[in-house]
Structures are given as structure tokens and as C-alpha cells.
DNA sequence: CGGTATCCCGGGAGATACTG
DNA sequence: CAGTATCTCCCGGGATACCG
């Protein structure tokens, strides 16, 4: 199967599939939260401390969205002080692989892309 | 190599790699333009007619960014009326594969995710 | 035909303060 | 500890009008 045929998967139905997934994971924090949860369950504060720069508000929003999508499970323990554990669901774990593929692509091609940008910006074309 | 080890690729250096690529392709149109250019070269108007809903302004912006990143080449023919052809570069074509992997994931898990959302929204937990 | 230039709006996202 | 509430700024992106 050529990439030409395969790329129809992206364009399919006017791009609704790709739009859906980008709405889901294309924001600033979602993939970082997912990657951080790849491993043992973490509490809210652990999650926050492992993701430099994320605000309490954005972490809350992000995990709520992920929970709604069924990619992350949230468990509240009735203790004082409260304890809440987050964990990837089985479905959530399946996202890791394509996400890593994308990260690999980024790492592999970053130098090249930055060179291209520098050339473009110089106007040297 | 476990996904646990691999997911470090995503988190690496505080997530700068993933942030970079999402800034690059995580917007509304970029991946659609790339997928549409997987195949023969297309002119501006052809590109626009194949991507339902994209405005002239956004198509221009998107192809300019892609050109700057070295993922798309832009060729102007000195004719009247003007003709401009867009085409994926070799680097641009390498992006198709991981992008398709992501699209596949979206297609595979969409039903499941929508079910989860429906349940969540009902409050049934 | 293949663009720019300009205006405008909605929502993503940070900072800060408060709460069960 | 693990959130919610509120305010605010910023910018992606659509609509429209004009240009070489």
C-alpha cells in the first residue's frame, strides 16, 4: 500500500478524522500528560510536578478531557487529606505508539527543518 | 523497548520536541494540506478546491509555513495568467507515515471514545 | 490566477484568589 | 491536596475587500 493510498486516511470525509484527533491531542498539554502517565499511577500533584510549566487549571482541564474520552482513569480515595490517582486506560496506552512515532519524526527532522527556516528567513531561498 | 521507555521521547527536555511538532502540524489545516499534496503537484486553486472549507488566507498561510519548514516546494511559472505549483519535498513525504499512523488510531478508536464521552456526559460515570 | 491587507470574534491558556 | 471561579490577554482563523 503506497503512502498515496494511505494518505486518504487523513483526508477521509473532508478530514474529519484528523480534525477530531487533533482537537483531542493537538493542544498544548494533552500529549505531555499522556506520556507522563505512561507508567505507574500518579496523583495530581505528582503529575503537576513532572510537567514543568503546567498550571493547576490547565492540568485539571486536560485530565478531565482525557477522562471524558476514556483515555485516563481517575480514582478518588476517601481520605483526609484527599488523594486522587490518575492512570492511563488500556485505550490510552494505545495512543502512546503513534504519538511516539510522531515525536521520533520531530526529533529526526528538527535539525533539517531549522536549517530550512534559517535559509528561508535569510531570503536566500 | 517498552512504551514506557519510548514515551520519554515525548517528554524529552520538558516536551520541547512534541511542542515543536504540534506547533508545526497541530493546527487546523496543515496535515490536510500535506495529505492533499501526497501525489502529483497541484496548483493553488486545485489545492483549495480539494480542501473543503479552507479560506484563501489560511491556505496561503499554511503553504507558506510548510515551505519555510522545507516540507513543501513552491514553483512559480512566469506565465500569464500566473501558475504556481505546490509539491511535497522528500522530507515532507516522510511526514505522511507517522501522520497516517495517527489517523489510523483516530479511526480505530473513535467509536469507543464517543461512547465514553456519552457515558461521561450522562453522569452515569 | 494567486495572492495581500484589514477587521473582527471566539476560545485557548496564564495568573490569581478562593474552597471542601 | 486537589481542585473551582474569575479575569485577562493573546492569537488562530473566518470574512471581506483589494492588488499585480
Amino acid at each position: 500500500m503506497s503512502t498515496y493510498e494511505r494518505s486518504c486516511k487523513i483526508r477521509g470525509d473532508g478530514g474529519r478524522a484528523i480534525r477530531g484527533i487533533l482537537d483531542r491531542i493537538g493542544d498544548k498539554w494533552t500529549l505531555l500528560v499522556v506520556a507522563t502517565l505512561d507508567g505507574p499511577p500518579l496523583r495530581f500533584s505528582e503529575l503537576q510536578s513532572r510537567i514543568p510549566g503546567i498550571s493547576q487549571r490547565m492540568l485539571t482541564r486536560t485530565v478531565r478531557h482525557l477522562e471524558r474520552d476514556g483515555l485516563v482513569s481517575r480514582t478518588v480515595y476517601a481520605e483526609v487529606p484527599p488523594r486522587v490517582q490518575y492512570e492511563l486506560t488500556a485505550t490510552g496506552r494505545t495512543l502512546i505508539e503513534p504519538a511516539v512515532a510522531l515525536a521520533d519524526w520531530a526529533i529526526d527532522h528538527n535539525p533539517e527543518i531549522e536549517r530550512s527556516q534559517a535559509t528561508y528567513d535569510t531570503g536566500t531561498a
Side-chain angles (χ1 to χ4, degrees), chain A:
Chain A
M1 196 180 194
S2 68
T3 65
Y4 180 45
E5 296 163 56
R6 282 161 55 81
S7 66
C8 298
K9 300 262 188 71
I10 300 177
R11 308 206 307 130
D13 71 325
R16 214 157 300 172
I18 214 66
R19 200 73 53 74
I21 206 214
L22 288 180
D23 286 351
R24 194 163 286 125
I25 65 150
D27 70 316
K28 195 168 177 181
W29 299 110
T30 296
L31 270 189
L32 280 176
V33 171
V34 170
T36 304
L37 282 175
D38 185 32
L42 296 175
R43 347 182 14 163
F44 189 87
S45 53
E46 291 171 327
L47 211 37
Q48 187 170 17
S49 69
R50 280 161 208 238
I51 305 176
I54 196 169
S55 67
Q56 205 168 35
R57 172 183 138 91
M58 289 316 295
L59 181 54
T60 303
R61 285 176 58 107
T62 304
V63 291
R64 286 292 190 281
H65 282 108
L66 285 168
E67 191 194 0
R68 186 171 107 99
D69 290 343
L71 305 181
V72 158
S73 71
R74 176 174 177 270
T75 313
V76 183
Y77 296 91
E79 303 172 0
V80 179
R83 185 162 58 99
V84 180
Q85 297 244 355
Y86 293 93
E87 186 173 11
L88 286 185
T89 62
T91 307
R93 293 191 189 280
T94 66
L95 176 55
I96 297 280
E97 192 167 313
V100 168
L102 210 60
D104 277 339
W105 186 91
I107 293 166
D108 288 350
H109 295 88
N110 238 344
E112 183 180 348
I113 287 172
E114 286 181 354
R115 258 180 281 120
S116 173
Q117 291 176 351
T119 305
Y120 186 96
D121 295 345
T122 314
T124 314

